[in-house]
Amino acid sequence: MGWRDILVFADGSEDGLARARMAKEIADAHKAHLEVAVLAPAPAKPATARTEALAPAERAVAQLRDLVGSGAPGGVSVHVLECVPEETRFAAARAARTADLVIFGKPEKFDDSELDTDIFVGAIMEGGRPCLMLPRWINPRAWGKRGLIWWKGEPESARAVQGALPFLSAAEKVRVTVANPRGQREGEDERSLERLATYLLRHGVDIEETVARTSWEGSEYMIQSAIDGFNADFMVLGAYEGSRLVEDIFGGVTAKVVHDTQIPVLMAH
């Protein structure tokens, strides 16, 4: 399984430029086409307001074109993805649906903008593709050697694992962790986990013994210790929708990962 089309949402910030460079490295490694999209909310009228709103995005496109160039095996395209301010989430979703992998930055509240959150929610919830969330690194960093799969017997986890196979098969070591396993019906019993391990082995993943962690606390409170205990440099998990979708970015485990985790995370809904 490989990728042929990779989409990255970037901008002219330091971490946006670093994210584009890391996305290009991934695209080059898989001989995939890289699309760099600068999402730009702009009012349709008046024309002067639209021009003013699009100016930062156009400057970012020029920076990004200089940075990523065009000499990639699969080719590179860099462009402004314009939309009206009320439809940023829908624009992100539309773009995501025709990519094999979507990359974006970790949502942060640097200012009063909801753009990063809209990209996150739109791409994951409505895009239908695996999504890689990168930390706000201002320089590209090496990662991908030690992968942690945070498993739950749900379709979202299965989709995330399948979407992450190119990363998982390239990793030096992968661990599956299950928090407070529920049992056979949910697919979190020993036999079900053996099936998961066999599936991964057949895809060339160097997987070690599954770890089951139990605690009276919610599973979201065990994530960081699991990352630290394995020295993981990337993580794979399903993205689950909670009752307060926008406010908490799904709530529970997903919210904890988004807010606290400082390694790349591949998610799928």
Side-chain angles (χ1 to χ4, degrees), residues 1-21:
M1 179 180 178
W3 297 313
R4 291 296 174 265
D5 283 282
I6 295 174
L7 166 67
V8 59
F9 289 99
D11 54 31
S13 65
E14 287 183 305
D15 59 272
L17 297 173
R19 183 162 60 253
R21 287 173 60 189

Side-chain angles (χ1 to χ4, degrees), residues 13-258:
S13 65
E14 287 183 305
D15 59 272
L17 297 173
R19 183 162 60 253
R21 287 173 60 189
M22 287 188 285
K24 186 174 185 297
E25 290 174 359
I26 295 170
D28 288 351
H30 292 272
K31 296 181 173 59
H33 176 268
L34 177 65
E35 177 186 2
V36 185
V38 181
L39 189 57
K45 296 178 181 180
T48 53
R50 176 177 174 273
T51 300
E52 183 178 347
L54 291 177
E58 297 288 0
R59 290 194 294 270
V61 165
Q63 288 178 284
L64 289 161
R65 282 177 178 156
D66 288 341
L67 183 73
V68 299
S70 59
V76 179
S77 61
V78 185
H79 64 96
V80 173
L81 184 60
E82 182 182 352
C83 64
V84 297
E86 298 79 15
E87 294 188 359
T88 51
R89 194 177 307 176
F90 301 105
R94 289 193 300 269
R97 291 178 193 134
T98 51
D100 294 317
L101 175 69
V102 183
I103 303 173
F104 48 71
K106 177 179 175 180
E108 297 280 9
K109 293 282 187 177
F110 290 126
D111 49 34
D112 294 330
S113 173
E114 295 292 332
L115 184 59
D116 295 327
T117 299
D118 284 346
I119 290 172
F120 181 103
V121 174
I124 288 184
M125 294 303 298
E126 300 294 338
R129 294 292 189 265
C131 296
L132 178 66
M133 181 183 74
L134 293 177
R136 295 285 177 158
W137 293 333
I138 62 173
N139 291 300
R141 299 187 191 181
W143 61 276
K145 292 184 177 181
R146 298 183 66 83
L148 176 68
I149 298 172
W150 193 260
W151 179 256
K152 188 175 181 180
E154 302 288 350
E156 291 87 347
S157 279
R159 294 184 191 110
V161 168
Q162 184 187 42
L165 283 174
F167 288 136
L168 294 170
S169 60
E172 294 178 358
K173 188 66 67 175
V174 173
R175 172 182 287 179
V176 175
T177 297
V178 184
N180 296 325
R182 293 170 292 178
Q184 181 180 15
R185 186 181 69 175
E186 293 81 8
E188 296 173 9
D189 62 309
E190 184 176 349
R191 181 169 178 79
S192 297
L193 296 174
E194 287 176 355
R195 285 179 58 87
L196 173 61
T198 300
Y199 169 78
L200 291 167
L201 287 168
R202 285 173 177 159
H203 282 275
V205 178
D206 189 351
I207 184 171
E208 63 173 37
E209 187 176 357
T210 299
V211 174
R213 301 171 66 91
T214 58
S215 172
W216 60 269
E217 295 182 303
S219 58
E220 63 265 30
Y221 297 101
M222 295 185 259
I223 290 176
Q224 193 57 52
S225 63
I227 291 172
D228 295 341
F230 186 56
N231 195 27
D233 62 6
F234 76 100
M235 184 176 182
V236 177
L237 83 161
Y240 306 96
E241 180 180 359
S243 59
R244 297 176 63 195
L245 175 63
V246 177
E247 292 87 349
D248 294 336
I249 312 186
F250 310 165
V253 171
T254 309
K256 193 71 172 174
V257 168
V258 171

